[in-house]
Structures are given as C-alpha cells and as structure tokens.
Amino acid sequence: MSQFSDSLKSIRKKSSKKQREVAEYLGINLRTYQNYEGGRSEPSIAQLIKLADFFMVSLDELVGRDWIGG
C-alpha cells in the first residue's frame, strides 16, 4: 500500500464512515473507492480536494505528508 492509501483508510476509520458513504459523496462507485484504499489507483486532484473537505483534514494530512517548513 502507498502512504496515501494507508492515510485515507486511517482517516476514514477514525471518522467512522463507511466506504460506501465516501464513494457516494465523491460520486464514484464503491469499487473505485476501494481501489483508492487498496493502493491500486489514486484519485484526481479534484477528488483529493473533495476527500479533504469530506473528512475536514488538510491535503497534507490526507496524503500522509508530514512536512515542517521553515
């Protein structure tokens, strides 16, 4: 799995949302969403933004980026 897929799955579980709920919000089928969590495909930037909004997290957090700028 990729860092993104691990992060996505973790964030979804913390929010107590079902995969189907997220897929419906994104307007995609369940299998496509499952592929995101399984690391078999990645969403477009527009879908990433929708996911971040849905879970109320930053894009950095969503993609598993832990960066401290200076």
Side-chain angles (χ1 to χ4, degrees):
M1 277 196 192
S2 70
Q3 192 169 353
F4 165 71
S5 60
D6 289 341
S7 178
L8 177 60
K9 187 174 185 176
S10 174
I11 288 169
R12 179 184 58 79
K13 286 186 171 192
K14 285 179 190 173
S15 73
S16 300
K17 300 290 185 189
K18 303 284 186 203
Q19 288 180 333
R20 184 173 308 283
E21 292 176 82
V22 185
E24 288 175 1
Y25 175 81
L26 295 174
I28 60 176
N29 67 47
L30 177 59
R31 176 61 64 198
T32 299
Y33 181 78
Q34 289 170 331
N35 285 338
Y36 295 166
E37 282 196 11
R40 293 176 292 280
S41 65
E42 295 179 348
S44 67
I45 291 177
Q47 293 287 47
L48 282 173
I49 292 168
K50 286 179 81 172
L51 281 164
D53 290 347
F54 182 77
F55 292 118
M56 294 184 283
V57 298
S58 70
L59 287 171
D60 282 343
E61 185 177 352
L62 181 62
V63 300
R65 184 171 185 243
D66 188 21
W67 179 76
I68 299 173

Short mmCIF file of all heavy atoms in Angstrom, two decimals:
data_model
loop_
_atom_site.label_atom_id
_atom_site.label_comp_id
_atom_site.label_asym_id
_atom_site.label_seq_id
_atom_site.Cartn_x
_atom_site.Cartn_y
_atom_site.Cartn_z
N MET A 1 0.83 -1.19 0.00
CA MET A 1 0.00 0.00 0.00
C MET A 1 0.87 1.25 0.00
O MET A 1 1.98 1.24 0.51
CB MET A 1 -0.89 0.02 1.24
CG MET A 1 -2.13 -0.78 1.13
SD MET A 1 -3.27 -0.29 2.43
CE MET A 1 -4.43 -1.59 2.30
N SER A 2 0.31 2.30 -0.54
CA SER A 2 1.04 3.56 -0.56
C SER A 2 0.75 4.36 0.72
O SER A 2 -0.18 4.05 1.46
CB SER A 2 0.61 4.38 -1.78
OG SER A 2 -0.72 4.85 -1.61
N GLN A 3 1.53 5.36 0.92
CA GLN A 3 1.31 6.22 2.08
C GLN A 3 -0.07 6.86 2.00
O GLN A 3 -0.77 6.97 3.01
CB GLN A 3 2.40 7.30 2.12
CG GLN A 3 2.45 8.08 3.39
CD GLN A 3 3.70 8.94 3.48
OE1 GLN A 3 4.58 8.87 2.63
NE2 GLN A 3 3.76 9.76 4.49
N PHE A 4 -0.49 7.25 0.78
CA PHE A 4 -1.82 7.84 0.61
C PHE A 4 -2.91 6.85 1.00
O PHE A 4 -3.83 7.20 1.75
CB PHE A 4 -2.03 8.32 -0.83
CG PHE A 4 -3.47 8.58 -1.14
CD1 PHE A 4 -4.12 9.68 -0.57
CD2 PHE A 4 -4.20 7.73 -1.94
CE1 PHE A 4 -5.47 9.91 -0.82
CE2 PHE A 4 -5.54 7.96 -2.20
CZ PHE A 4 -6.17 9.05 -1.64
N SER A 5 -2.84 5.64 0.48
CA SER A 5 -3.92 4.68 0.75
C SER A 5 -4.00 4.35 2.24
O SER A 5 -5.10 4.24 2.80
CB SER A 5 -3.76 3.41 -0.09
OG SER A 5 -2.54 2.77 0.18
N ASP A 6 -2.85 4.22 2.89
CA ASP A 6 -2.84 3.97 4.34
C ASP A 6 -3.48 5.13 5.09
O ASP A 6 -4.28 4.94 6.01
CB ASP A 6 -1.42 3.77 4.85
CG ASP A 6 -0.80 2.46 4.41
OD1 ASP A 6 -1.54 1.55 4.02
OD2 ASP A 6 0.44 2.37 4.46
N SER A 7 -3.12 6.35 4.70
CA SER A 7 -3.65 7.54 5.35
C SER A 7 -5.15 7.66 5.14
O SER A 7 -5.91 7.93 6.08
CB SER A 7 -2.92 8.78 4.80
OG SER A 7 -3.44 9.94 5.38
N LEU A 8 -5.59 7.44 3.90
CA LEU A 8 -7.02 7.53 3.58
C LEU A 8 -7.83 6.54 4.42
O LEU A 8 -8.84 6.91 5.02
CB LEU A 8 -7.24 7.26 2.10
CG LEU A 8 -8.68 7.25 1.60
CD1 LEU A 8 -9.36 8.59 1.86
CD2 LEU A 8 -8.73 6.90 0.13
N LYS A 9 -7.36 5.32 4.49
CA LYS A 9 -8.08 4.30 5.25
C LYS A 9 -8.13 4.67 6.73
O LYS A 9 -9.17 4.55 7.38
CB LYS A 9 -7.40 2.94 5.06
CG LYS A 9 -8.15 1.80 5.67
CD LYS A 9 -7.50 0.48 5.30
CE LYS A 9 -8.31 -0.68 5.81
NZ LYS A 9 -7.73 -1.97 5.37
N SER A 10 -7.01 5.13 7.26
CA SER A 10 -6.94 5.51 8.67
C SER A 10 -7.89 6.67 8.98
O SER A 10 -8.63 6.64 9.97
CB SER A 10 -5.51 5.89 9.02
OG SER A 10 -5.43 6.39 10.33
N ILE A 11 -7.88 7.68 8.14
CA ILE A 11 -8.75 8.85 8.34
C ILE A 11 -10.21 8.44 8.26
O ILE A 11 -11.04 8.86 9.06
CB ILE A 11 -8.41 9.95 7.32
CG1 ILE A 11 -7.05 10.58 7.68
CG2 ILE A 11 -9.50 11.01 7.26
CD1 ILE A 11 -6.49 11.49 6.61
N ARG A 12 -10.54 7.58 7.29
CA ARG A 12 -11.94 7.14 7.17
C ARG A 12 -12.38 6.38 8.41
O ARG A 12 -13.46 6.62 8.95
CB ARG A 12 -12.13 6.26 5.93
CG ARG A 12 -13.58 5.77 5.81
CD ARG A 12 -13.78 4.82 4.66
NE ARG A 12 -12.94 3.65 4.72
CZ ARG A 12 -13.17 2.58 5.50
NH1 ARG A 12 -14.22 2.54 6.31
NH2 ARG A 12 -12.35 1.54 5.47
N LYS A 13 -11.53 5.48 8.89
CA LYS A 13 -11.91 4.70 10.07
C LYS A 13 -12.07 5.58 11.30
O LYS A 13 -12.98 5.37 12.10
CB LYS A 13 -10.89 3.59 10.31
CG LYS A 13 -11.01 2.47 9.31
CD LYS A 13 -10.10 1.32 9.63
CE LYS A 13 -10.41 0.15 8.73
NZ LYS A 13 -9.74 -1.06 9.20
N LYS A 14 -11.19 6.58 11.46
CA LYS A 14 -11.31 7.50 12.59
C LYS A 14 -12.62 8.29 12.54
O LYS A 14 -13.16 8.65 13.59
CB LYS A 14 -10.13 8.47 12.62
CG LYS A 14 -8.84 7.86 13.09
CD LYS A 14 -7.73 8.89 13.08
CE LYS A 14 -6.39 8.23 13.30
NZ LYS A 14 -5.29 9.18 13.12
N SER A 15 -13.10 8.53 11.33
CA SER A 15 -14.34 9.30 11.19
C SER A 15 -15.58 8.42 11.29
O SER A 15 -16.71 8.93 11.24
CB SER A 15 -14.35 10.04 9.84
OG SER A 15 -14.56 9.13 8.78
N SER A 16 -15.38 7.12 11.41
CA SER A 16 -16.48 6.14 11.50
C SER A 16 -17.38 6.15 10.27
O SER A 16 -18.57 5.84 10.36
CB SER A 16 -17.32 6.38 12.76
OG SER A 16 -16.52 6.25 13.91
N LYS A 17 -16.81 6.49 9.13
CA LYS A 17 -17.57 6.47 7.87
C LYS A 17 -17.35 5.13 7.18
O LYS A 17 -16.32 4.49 7.32
CB LYS A 17 -17.11 7.59 6.93
CG LYS A 17 -17.28 8.98 7.49
CD LYS A 17 -18.72 9.37 7.57
CE LYS A 17 -18.84 10.82 8.01
NZ LYS A 17 -20.20 11.19 8.30
N LYS A 18 -18.35 4.72 6.43
CA LYS A 18 -18.26 3.51 5.62
C LYS A 18 -17.71 3.87 4.25
O LYS A 18 -17.88 5.00 3.77
CB LYS A 18 -19.65 2.87 5.44
CG LYS A 18 -20.36 2.54 6.73
CD LYS A 18 -19.78 1.31 7.34
CE LYS A 18 -20.61 0.91 8.56
NZ LYS A 18 -19.87 0.11 9.48
N GLN A 19 -17.05 2.91 3.62
CA GLN A 19 -16.52 3.14 2.28
C GLN A 19 -17.63 3.61 1.33
O GLN A 19 -17.42 4.51 0.52
CB GLN A 19 -15.87 1.88 1.73
CG GLN A 19 -14.56 1.54 2.39
CD GLN A 19 -13.95 0.27 1.82
OE1 GLN A 19 -14.65 -0.61 1.31
NE2 GLN A 19 -12.64 0.17 1.92
N ARG A 20 -18.78 3.00 1.44
CA ARG A 20 -19.90 3.35 0.56
C ARG A 20 -20.31 4.82 0.72
O ARG A 20 -20.62 5.50 -0.25
CB ARG A 20 -21.10 2.45 0.83
CG ARG A 20 -22.26 2.69 -0.11
CD ARG A 20 -23.38 1.68 0.04
NE ARG A 20 -22.96 0.29 -0.02
CZ ARG A 20 -22.66 -0.37 -1.16
NH1 ARG A 20 -22.71 0.25 -2.29
NH2 ARG A 20 -22.31 -1.63 -1.12
N GLU A 21 -20.30 5.32 1.95
CA GLU A 21 -20.65 6.73 2.20
C GLU A 21 -19.69 7.67 1.48
O GLU A 21 -20.11 8.67 0.89
CB GLU A 21 -20.59 7.05 3.69
CG GLU A 21 -21.65 6.40 4.54
CD GLU A 21 -21.42 6.71 6.01
OE1 GLU A 21 -21.84 7.80 6.44
OE2 GLU A 21 -20.84 5.86 6.71
N VAL A 22 -18.41 7.34 1.56
CA VAL A 22 -17.40 8.18 0.92
C VAL A 22 -17.55 8.12 -0.60
O VAL A 22 -17.53 9.15 -1.27
CB VAL A 22 -15.97 7.79 1.34
CG1 VAL A 22 -14.95 8.76 0.76
CG2 VAL A 22 -15.85 7.75 2.87
N ALA A 23 -17.73 6.94 -1.12
CA ALA A 23 -17.91 6.77 -2.57
C ALA A 23 -19.12 7.56 -3.06
O ALA A 23 -19.05 8.24 -4.09
CB ALA A 23 -18.05 5.29 -2.92
N GLU A 24 -20.22 7.49 -2.33
CA GLU A 24 -21.42 8.24 -2.72
C GLU A 24 -21.17 9.73 -2.70
O GLU A 24 -21.60 10.45 -3.61
CB GLU A 24 -22.59 7.87 -1.81
CG GLU A 24 -23.13 6.48 -2.07
CD GLU A 24 -24.21 6.05 -1.08
OE1 GLU A 24 -24.58 6.84 -0.18
OE2 GLU A 24 -24.69 4.90 -1.21
N TYR A 25 -20.47 10.23 -1.70
CA TYR A 25 -20.14 11.65 -1.63
C TYR A 25 -19.30 12.09 -2.83
O TYR A 25 -19.52 13.15 -3.40
CB TYR A 25 -19.39 11.96 -0.32
CG TYR A 25 -18.92 13.37 -0.23
CD1 TYR A 25 -19.78 14.39 0.15
CD2 TYR A 25 -17.60 13.70 -0.53
CE1 TYR A 25 -19.34 15.71 0.23
CE2 TYR A 25 -17.15 15.01 -0.45
CZ TYR A 25 -18.04 16.01 -0.08
OH TYR A 25 -17.59 17.31 -0.01
N LEU A 26 -18.36 11.22 -3.22
CA LEU A 26 -17.49 11.54 -4.35
C LEU A 26 -18.18 11.35 -5.70
O LEU A 26 -17.68 11.82 -6.72
CB LEU A 26 -16.23 10.68 -4.31
CG LEU A 26 -15.28 10.90 -3.14
CD1 LEU A 26 -14.16 9.87 -3.17
CD2 LEU A 26 -14.71 12.31 -3.16
N GLY A 27 -19.29 10.62 -5.71
CA GLY A 27 -19.99 10.35 -6.96
C GLY A 27 -19.28 9.27 -7.78
O GLY A 27 -19.32 9.31 -9.01
N ILE A 28 -18.66 8.32 -7.09
CA ILE A 28 -17.96 7.23 -7.77
C ILE A 28 -18.52 5.91 -7.25
O ILE A 28 -19.20 5.87 -6.23
CB ILE A 28 -16.43 7.29 -7.52
CG1 ILE A 28 -16.11 7.18 -6.02
CG2 ILE A 28 -15.84 8.55 -8.14
CD1 ILE A 28 -14.62 7.12 -5.69
N ASN A 29 -18.19 4.83 -7.97
CA ASN A 29 -18.69 3.54 -7.47
C ASN A 29 -17.80 3.04 -6.34
O ASN A 29 -16.66 3.48 -6.17
CB ASN A 29 -18.86 2.52 -8.61
CG ASN A 29 -17.56 2.10 -9.24
OD1 ASN A 29 -16.60 1.78 -8.55
ND2 ASN A 29 -17.52 2.09 -10.56
N LEU A 30 -18.34 2.14 -5.58
CA LEU A 30 -17.66 1.61 -4.40
C LEU A 30 -16.32 0.99 -4.76
O LEU A 30 -15.33 1.18 -4.06
CB LEU A 30 -18.55 0.60 -3.67
CG LEU A 30 -17.95 -0.09 -2.45
CD1 LEU A 30 -17.54 0.92 -1.39
CD2 LEU A 30 -18.95 -1.10 -1.89
N ARG A 31 -16.27 0.24 -5.84
CA ARG A 31 -15.04 -0.44 -6.25
C ARG A 31 -13.92 0.57 -6.51
O ARG A 31 -12.77 0.34 -6.12
CB ARG A 31 -15.29 -1.30 -7.50
CG ARG A 31 -14.04 -1.97 -8.06
CD ARG A 31 -13.37 -2.92 -7.12
NE ARG A 31 -14.23 -4.03 -6.82
CZ ARG A 31 -14.06 -4.85 -5.79
NH1 ARG A 31 -13.04 -4.68 -4.97
NH2 ARG A 31 -14.88 -5.83 -5.57
N THR A 32 -14.25 1.69 -7.13
CA THR A 32 -13.24 2.72 -7.39
C THR A 32 -12.68 3.24 -6.07
O THR A 32 -11.46 3.38 -5.91
CB THR A 32 -13.83 3.88 -8.21
OG1 THR A 32 -14.29 3.37 -9.47
CG2 THR A 32 -12.82 4.98 -8.45
N TYR A 33 -13.56 3.50 -5.11
CA TYR A 33 -13.08 3.97 -3.81
C TYR A 33 -12.23 2.90 -3.13
O TYR A 33 -11.18 3.20 -2.57
CB TYR A 33 -14.23 4.39 -2.89
CG TYR A 33 -13.70 4.87 -1.57
CD1 TYR A 33 -13.14 6.14 -1.46
CD2 TYR A 33 -13.65 4.02 -0.46
CE1 TYR A 33 -12.58 6.56 -0.27
CE2 TYR A 33 -13.09 4.45 0.73
CZ TYR A 33 -12.56 5.71 0.82
OH TYR A 33 -11.97 6.12 1.99
N GLN A 34 -12.65 1.66 -3.19
CA GLN A 34 -11.88 0.57 -2.60
C GLN A 34 -10.49 0.47 -3.23
O GLN A 34 -9.52 0.15 -2.56
CB GLN A 34 -12.63 -0.75 -2.73
CG GLN A 34 -13.85 -0.83 -1.85
CD GLN A 34 -14.74 -2.02 -2.13
OE1 GLN A 34 -14.79 -2.52 -3.26
NE2 GLN A 34 -15.45 -2.47 -1.11
N ASN A 35 -10.40 0.78 -4.50
CA ASN A 35 -9.10 0.80 -5.17
C ASN A 35 -8.21 1.91 -4.62
O ASN A 35 -6.99 1.74 -4.56
CB ASN A 35 -9.26 0.93 -6.68
CG ASN A 35 -9.74 -0.34 -7.33
OD1 ASN A 35 -9.58 -1.44 -6.79
ND2 ASN A 35 -10.33 -0.21 -8.50
N TYR A 36 -8.79 3.03 -4.23
CA TYR A 36 -8.00 4.10 -3.60
C TYR A 36 -7.40 3.59 -2.29
O TYR A 36 -6.22 3.76 -2.04
CB TYR A 36 -8.86 5.33 -3.28
CG TYR A 36 -9.43 6.08 -4.46
CD1 TYR A 36 -10.44 7.00 -4.25
CD2 TYR A 36 -9.00 5.88 -5.76
CE1 TYR A 36 -10.99 7.72 -5.29
CE2 TYR A 36 -9.56 6.59 -6.81
CZ TYR A 36 -10.55 7.51 -6.57
OH TYR A 36 -11.10 8.22 -7.61
N GLU A 37 -8.23 2.99 -1.46
CA GLU A 37 -7.75 2.49 -0.16
C GLU A 37 -6.81 1.30 -0.31
O GLU A 37 -5.95 1.09 0.53
CB GLU A 37 -8.92 2.10 0.75
CG GLU A 37 -9.60 3.26 1.39
CD GLU A 37 -10.49 2.86 2.56
OE1 GLU A 37 -10.45 1.71 3.03
OE2 GLU A 37 -11.24 3.75 3.02
N GLY A 38 -6.96 0.56 -1.38
CA GLY A 38 -6.12 -0.60 -1.61
C GLY A 38 -4.81 -0.27 -2.31
O GLY A 38 -3.98 -1.15 -2.53
N GLY A 39 -4.65 0.99 -2.70
CA GLY A 39 -3.42 1.40 -3.37
C GLY A 39 -3.33 0.99 -4.82
O GLY A 39 -2.26 1.03 -5.42
N ARG A 40 -4.46 0.59 -5.41
CA ARG A 40 -4.46 0.15 -6.80
C ARG A 40 -4.71 1.29 -7.77
O ARG A 40 -4.45 1.16 -8.96
CB ARG A 40 -5.49 -0.96 -6.99
CG ARG A 40 -5.11 -2.24 -6.25
CD ARG A 40 -6.15 -3.33 -6.36
NE ARG A 40 -7.38 -3.01 -5.65
CZ ARG A 40 -7.58 -3.14 -4.33
NH1 ARG A 40 -6.58 -3.58 -3.58
NH2 ARG A 40 -8.72 -2.85 -3.77
N SER A 41 -5.22 2.41 -7.27
CA SER A 41 -5.40 3.61 -8.09
C SER A 41 -5.43 4.81 -7.16
O SER A 41 -5.53 4.66 -5.94
CB SER A 41 -6.68 3.54 -8.93
OG SER A 41 -7.83 3.52 -8.11
N GLU A 42 -5.32 5.98 -7.76
CA GLU A 42 -5.32 7.22 -6.98
C GLU A 42 -6.32 8.19 -7.57
O GLU A 42 -6.53 8.23 -8.78
CB GLU A 42 -3.92 7.84 -6.97
CG GLU A 42 -2.90 6.98 -6.26
CD GLU A 42 -1.51 7.57 -6.26
OE1 GLU A 42 -1.26 8.56 -7.00
OE2 GLU A 42 -0.66 7.06 -5.52
N PRO A 43 -6.93 9.00 -6.71
CA PRO A 43 -7.92 9.97 -7.19
C PRO A 43 -7.27 11.15 -7.89
O PRO A 43 -6.08 11.43 -7.71
CB PRO A 43 -8.62 10.41 -5.90
CG PRO A 43 -7.60 10.21 -4.84
CD PRO A 43 -6.79 9.01 -5.26
N SER A 44 -8.08 11.85 -8.66
CA SER A 44 -7.62 13.10 -9.29
C SER A 44 -7.44 14.16 -8.20
O SER A 44 -7.88 13.98 -7.06
CB SER A 44 -8.66 13.58 -10.30
OG SER A 44 -9.86 13.97 -9.61
N ILE A 45 -6.83 15.25 -8.56
CA ILE A 45 -6.66 16.35 -7.60
C ILE A 45 -8.02 16.87 -7.15
O ILE A 45 -8.21 17.13 -5.95
CB ILE A 45 -5.79 17.47 -8.21
CG1 ILE A 45 -4.36 16.97 -8.35
CG2 ILE A 45 -5.83 18.72 -7.34
CD1 ILE A 45 -3.40 17.91 -8.99
N ALA A 46 -8.97 16.96 -8.06
CA ALA A 46 -10.32 17.42 -7.68
C ALA A 46 -10.93 16.47 -6.65
O ALA A 46 -11.56 16.93 -5.68
CB ALA A 46 -11.20 17.53 -8.91
N GLN A 47 -10.74 15.17 -6.83
CA GLN A 47 -11.27 14.19 -5.88
C GLN A 47 -10.53 14.28 -4.55
O GLN A 47 -11.12 14.10 -3.49
CB GLN A 47 -11.19 12.77 -6.45
CG GLN A 47 -12.10 12.52 -7.63
CD GLN A 47 -13.56 12.43 -7.25
OE1 GLN A 47 -14.10 13.24 -6.51
NE2 GLN A 47 -14.23 11.44 -7.79
N LEU A 48 -9.22 14.53 -4.58
CA LEU A 48 -8.45 14.70 -3.35
C LEU A 48 -9.00 15.86 -2.53
O LEU A 48 -9.15 15.76 -1.30
CB LEU A 48 -6.97 14.94 -3.64
CG LEU A 48 -6.13 13.74 -4.02
CD1 LEU A 48 -4.74 14.19 -4.44
CD2 LEU A 48 -6.04 12.74 -2.87
N ILE A 49 -9.30 16.95 -3.21
CA ILE A 49 -9.85 18.13 -2.52
C ILE A 49 -11.20 17.79 -1.89
O ILE A 49 -11.47 18.14 -0.74
CB ILE A 49 -9.94 19.32 -3.48
CG1 ILE A 49 -8.52 19.79 -3.85
CG2 ILE A 49 -10.75 20.47 -2.86
CD1 ILE A 49 -8.47 20.77 -4.99
N LYS A 50 -12.04 17.08 -2.65
CA LYS A 50 -13.33 16.67 -2.09
C LYS A 50 -13.17 15.76 -0.88
O LYS A 50 -13.89 15.88 0.11
CB LYS A 50 -14.18 15.98 -3.17
CG LYS A 50 -14.75 16.93 -4.20
CD LYS A 50 -15.55 16.21 -5.25
CE LYS A 50 -16.94 15.92 -4.74
NZ LYS A 50 -17.83 15.38 -5.81
N LEU A 51 -12.20 14.84 -0.95
CA LEU A 51 -11.94 13.95 0.18
C LEU A 51 -11.49 14.74 1.41
O LEU A 51 -11.95 14.50 2.52
CB LEU A 51 -10.87 12.91 -0.18
CG LEU A 51 -11.33 11.73 -1.01
CD1 LEU A 51 -10.14 11.00 -1.61
CD2 LEU A 51 -12.18 10.78 -0.18
N ALA A 52 -10.58 15.69 1.21
CA ALA A 52 -10.10 16.51 2.32
C ALA A 52 -11.26 17.28 2.94
O ALA A 52 -11.37 17.38 4.16
CB ALA A 52 -8.99 17.45 1.85
N ASP A 53 -12.12 17.84 2.10
CA ASP A 53 -13.29 18.56 2.60
C ASP A 53 -14.23 17.63 3.37
O ASP A 53 -14.72 17.98 4.45
CB ASP A 53 -14.06 19.23 1.45
CG ASP A 53 -13.32 20.39 0.83
OD1 ASP A 53 -12.33 20.88 1.42
OD2 ASP A 53 -13.74 20.83 -0.27
N PHE A 54 -14.47 16.46 2.82
CA PHE A 54 -15.38 15.49 3.44
C PHE A 54 -14.90 15.11 4.84
O PHE A 54 -15.69 15.06 5.79
CB PHE A 54 -15.49 14.25 2.56
CG PHE A 54 -16.44 13.20 3.08
CD1 PHE A 54 -17.81 13.36 2.97
CD2 PHE A 54 -15.95 12.04 3.67
CE1 PHE A 54 -18.69 12.38 3.44
CE2 PHE A 54 -16.82 11.07 4.15
CZ PHE A 54 -18.18 11.23 4.03
N PHE A 55 -13.60 14.84 4.97
CA PHE A 55 -13.05 14.42 6.25
C PHE A 55 -12.57 15.58 7.11
O PHE A 55 -12.12 15.37 8.23
CB PHE A 55 -11.90 13.44 6.03
CG PHE A 55 -12.33 12.10 5.48
CD1 PHE A 55 -11.87 11.67 4.25
CD2 PHE A 55 -13.18 11.28 6.19
CE1 PHE A 55 -12.25 10.43 3.73
CE2 PHE A 55 -13.58 10.06 5.69
CZ PHE A 55 -13.11 9.63 4.46
N MET A 56 -12.65 16.80 6.57
CA MET A 56 -12.23 18.01 7.27
C MET A 56 -10.77 17.90 7.73
O MET A 56 -10.46 18.08 8.92
CB MET A 56 -13.17 18.35 8.43
CG MET A 56 -14.55 18.73 7.94
SD MET A 56 -15.68 19.25 9.22
CE MET A 56 -16.14 17.69 9.94
N VAL A 57 -9.91 17.53 6.79
CA VAL A 57 -8.47 17.44 7.03
C VAL A 57 -7.75 18.20 5.93
O VAL A 57 -8.33 18.51 4.89
CB VAL A 57 -7.98 15.97 7.06
CG1 VAL A 57 -8.63 15.19 8.19
CG2 VAL A 57 -8.20 15.27 5.72
N SER A 58 -6.48 18.48 6.15
CA SER A 58 -5.68 19.14 5.12
C SER A 58 -5.29 18.13 4.05
O SER A 58 -5.31 16.91 4.28
CB SER A 58 -4.43 19.75 5.73
OG SER A 58 -3.54 18.72 6.13
N LEU A 59 -4.93 18.63 2.89
CA LEU A 59 -4.43 17.74 1.84
C LEU A 59 -3.16 17.04 2.30
O LEU A 59 -2.95 15.86 1.99
CB LEU A 59 -4.18 18.52 0.55
CG LEU A 59 -5.43 18.95 -0.21
CD1 LEU A 59 -5.05 19.89 -1.35
CD2 LEU A 59 -6.19 17.76 -0.74
N ASP A 60 -2.31 17.76 3.03
CA ASP A 60 -1.08 17.13 3.54
C ASP A 60 -1.42 15.93 4.42
O ASP A 60 -0.82 14.86 4.28
CB ASP A 60 -0.24 18.13 4.35
CG ASP A 60 0.55 19.08 3.48
OD1 ASP A 60 0.72 18.79 2.28
OD2 ASP A 60 0.99 20.11 4.00
N GLU A 61 -2.36 16.11 5.31
CA GLU A 61 -2.74 15.00 6.20
C GLU A 61 -3.34 13.86 5.39
O GLU A 61 -3.04 12.69 5.63
CB GLU A 61 -3.73 15.48 7.26
CG GLU A 61 -4.07 14.42 8.28
CD GLU A 61 -5.00 14.91 9.38
OE1 GLU A 61 -5.27 16.12 9.47
OE2 GLU A 61 -5.44 14.05 10.16
N LEU A 62 -4.18 14.21 4.43
CA LEU A 62 -4.84 13.19 3.62
C LEU A 62 -3.84 12.32 2.86
O LEU A 62 -4.00 11.11 2.79
CB LEU A 62 -5.82 13.85 2.64
CG LEU A 62 -6.61 12.91 1.74
CD1 LEU A 62 -7.51 11.99 2.57
CD2 LEU A 62 -7.42 13.70 0.75
N VAL A 63 -2.81 12.93 2.33
CA VAL A 63 -1.85 12.16 1.54
C VAL A 63 -0.71 11.60 2.39
O VAL A 63 0.21 10.99 1.89
CB VAL A 63 -1.29 12.96 0.34
CG1 VAL A 63 -2.40 13.36 -0.60
CG2 VAL A 63 -0.49 14.16 0.79
N GLY A 64 -0.78 11.84 3.69
CA GLY A 64 0.21 11.28 4.60
C GLY A 64 1.52 12.03 4.60
O GLY A 64 2.56 11.48 4.93
N ARG A 65 1.45 13.31 4.24
CA ARG A 65 2.66 14.12 4.18
C ARG A 65 2.89 14.78 5.52
O ARG A 65 2.03 15.51 6.03
CB ARG A 65 2.50 15.18 3.10
CG ARG A 65 3.72 16.03 2.89
CD ARG A 65 3.54 16.90 1.65
NE ARG A 65 4.74 17.62 1.38
CZ ARG A 65 4.83 18.94 1.41
NH1 ARG A 65 3.77 19.67 1.67
NH2 ARG A 65 5.96 19.54 1.16
N ASP A 66 4.05 14.55 6.08
CA ASP A 66 4.41 15.14 7.37
C ASP A 66 5.61 16.04 7.13
O ASP A 66 6.76 15.63 7.25
CB ASP A 66 4.76 14.02 8.36
CG ASP A 66 4.96 14.55 9.77
OD1 ASP A 66 4.46 15.64 10.07
OD2 ASP A 66 5.62 13.85 10.55
N TRP A 67 5.32 17.27 6.77
CA TRP A 67 6.37 18.21 6.38
C TRP A 67 6.33 19.44 7.28
O TRP A 67 5.26 19.99 7.52
CB TRP A 67 6.19 18.64 4.93
CG TRP A 67 7.21 19.61 4.45
CD1 TRP A 67 8.49 19.32 4.11
CD2 TRP A 67 7.05 21.01 4.26
NE1 TRP A 67 9.13 20.46 3.71
CE2 TRP A 67 8.27 21.52 3.78
CE3 TRP A 67 5.99 21.89 4.44
CZ2 TRP A 67 8.46 22.85 3.48
CZ3 TRP A 67 6.18 23.22 4.14
CH2 TRP A 67 7.41 23.68 3.67
N ILE A 68 7.46 19.82 7.76
CA ILE A 68 7.55 21.02 8.58
C ILE A 68 8.43 22.00 7.82
O ILE A 68 9.63 21.76 7.64
CB ILE A 68 8.14 20.73 9.98
CG1 ILE A 68 7.24 19.75 10.70
CG2 ILE A 68 8.32 22.00 10.75
CD1 ILE A 68 7.80 19.25 12.02
N GLY A 69 7.82 23.07 7.35
CA GLY A 69 8.55 24.06 6.55
C GLY A 69 9.30 25.03 7.44
O GLY A 69 9.07 25.13 8.63
N GLY A 70 10.21 25.73 6.81
CA GLY A 70 10.99 26.66 7.61
C GLY A 70 11.11 28.00 7.00
O GLY A 70 10.83 28.44 6.02
#
